[in-house]
Structure formats: structure tokens, C-alpha cells
Amino acid sequence: MADLVYPPVIGAARAWFKALDLKFDMQGTEHIPSRGGAVLVSNHISYLDFVFAGLAAQPAKRLVRFMAKESVFRHKVSGPLMRAMKHIPVDRSQGDDAYRHALRSLREGEVIGVFPEATISRSFTLKDFKSGAARLAQEARVPLVPVALWGTQRLWTKGQKRDFGRNHFPISIHVGEPVHPGPDETAPGVTERLRGRVQELLEAAQRAYPAAPKGPEDSWWLPAHLGGTAPTPAQARAL
């Protein structure tokens, strides 16, 4: 069945990015396979990460079907859009249905998007990864494509006001070489290797980021270990 909703939504998003005057640093998009199933795995620092992670697949002309919490599908505005774009609802109390749905989609050649931290990282550092993405890739025999996002937290994240003004925010989207699970590798082993790859991409994106806080009051979006005032991982867990 043709995708009648997803392409126009992408077009609207691009127009919105232009209106916000966002500056993009996209690297490694050639690592997104042009055909066949794949699991796209990203860090999670913003409510809008699915938009930007999906943008990474556009040069390969791929549409990413994201796994998202089921409540998003119940919303009167986002729900119909999410279903029309064939994203996958995840009921955390009954995750088997979502897993089977994603597995079937991978075998049909789709790209499935997963945020293995499960929730937004308020420290803007990597949290522990759930092993579901690795298990999907192993069972479907498809690659895992690591992605690191940086700067998206400045637009809209947990505990902060949205900022959709024309602020020229840089947005970094770095894609790494695919991770191929070994035939005898365990899901936790693949997950650890995948997390290490995303960590490398994230650190590279942070080093190359062309902006710095304008002052102490603007340093909330920078992790504590980089001199910012974001919560430490321990403080974020307490929150």
C-alpha cells in the first residue's frame, strides 16, 4: 500500500525547519541501506528525536517506522498521523505484540526506528540500552544502524520550555557504520557493542557542535561533564 501521509508530513517538517532557520550537520547518511530491513537506533534527548532520526534516512529514500509508546497513538492529533505513517505502538505492559509487529515489518524490508534508552535522557548522556533492538536484528537477520543526535534538546525536551523561535539552532545528525550481530553473539553483547558505537558518534557530534551556551543561564542543555548545568546521570535517575 502506498504511503499517502508520510511524504507530505516530511515536506511539512522540512518547511518548519526552514522557518526555524535550523542549521543541519548530517554525516554518514550513506550508511542507511537503500533497501532491505534495518533497525535504526538513536539516542534520545528530545521529544522531537523521531523527526530528526527519520530525517537521516531521507537521502536513502527510506521511511522509518518508529516504535513509540502507545499513548501517542491515543492522542486525537498525533494518533491518526502515527497510524497513517505505519509507526508501531508499544504497550509497555504487553510488549510482545509490538515486537512481533516490528519483526514482521523488518522481514518485509522496512526500516524500524528504536530508542533503546526507552525514555528521554535528562542528563543528555547515554542511559543503559534495552536489548530489544539487538534481539530484533538478530531474529530478522538485519543490520543495526547507530545514530547520534545533538542539539535537538534545545528545541523541546523534558523539564524545559519549548523554544520554536527563529534561533538558528544547529542540529547534528551523525550516522555510523552498521553493526552486524555475529552468529554466536548474545543480545546483551550486541547491545553493549551498539551502545559503544552510539557513544562514539555522540561524542564526535558534541566535539564538532558549532555552538556554546551564551552564559550560565543558557548552559542547561550541556551535560554536567562538559561543564553544563544539566543534571548528572545520578540526579537524572532521581528525577
Side-chain angles (χ1 to χ4, degrees):
M1 184 180 297
D3 280 280
L4 301 179
V5 174
Y6 212 148
V9 169
I10 293 171
R14 288 186 180 278
W16 184 50
F17 299 156
K18 187 174 182 179
L20 294 181
D21 199 25
L22 298 180
K23 308 298 183 184
F24 287 94
D25 169 30
M26 294 182 64
Q27 299 184 21
T29 56
E30 69 275 7
H31 296 307
I32 304 287
S34 59
R35 60 182 180 180
V39 182
L40 188 151
V41 177
S42 174
N43 65 319
H44 199 7
I45 53 176
S46 165
Y47 289 115
L48 301 174
D49 286 340
F50 71 97
V51 178
F52 295 107
L55 193 63
Q58 282 298 289
K61 299 181 180 180
R62 304 299 303 271
L63 299 175
V64 183
R65 318 298 180 177
F66 285 95
M67 301 183 75
K69 59 184 180 180
E70 194 267 342
S71 61
V72 178
F73 291 77
R74 294 198 304 267
H75 190 275
K76 62 181 180 181
V77 176
S78 63
L81 286 173
M82 294 292 282
R83 286 189 290 272
M85 290 187 285
K86 304 176 188 176
H87 295 308
I88 301 172
V90 179
D91 182 342
R92 290 175 182 169
S93 65
Q94 299 177 335
D96 288 348
D97 287 346
Y99 183 90
R100 287 193 292 268
H101 185 167
L103 183 61
R104 182 171 63 253
S105 297
L106 286 169
R107 288 171 170 166
E108 292 173 352
E110 297 277 11
V111 177
I112 300 299
V114 177
F115 297 104
E117 296 167 280
T119 58
I120 289 173
S121 170
R122 297 183 74 157
S123 68
F124 309 130
T125 62
L126 281 191
K127 299 164 63 177
D128 290 337
F129 276 20
K130 307 292 186 184
S131 63
R135 291 189 290 112
L136 279 171
Q138 286 181 303
E139 193 166 351
R141 298 183 179 181
V142 300
L144 294 144
V145 182
V147 176
L149 303 174
W150 191 244
T152 63
Q153 75 273 30
R154 301 179 68 187
L155 291 170
W156 189 17
T157 192
K158 191 175 290 186
Q160 298 289 336
K161 292 182 179 179
R162 291 176 292 184
D163 188 349
F164 294 159
R166 193 174 171 83
N167 288 317
H168 315 279
F169 285 155
I171 300 292
S172 298
I173 305 171
H174 288 204
V175 184
E177 294 183 5
V179 172
H180 297 273
D184 300 318
E185 202 171 4
T186 65
V190 175
T191 301
E192 182 178 358
R193 190 156 59 93
L194 177 65
R195 186 181 182 280
R197 190 71 61 83
V198 175
Q199 179 67 40
E200 292 172 358
L201 291 167
L202 179 59
E203 290 176 1
Q206 290 169 337
R207 286 193 300 270
Y209 195 66
K214 299 174 183 176
E217 72 286 348
D218 184 47
S219 63
W220 62 265
W221 55 269
L222 202 62
H225 75 277
L226 294 179
T229 57
T232 65
Q235 291 170 335
R237 283 193 295 271
L239 289 171

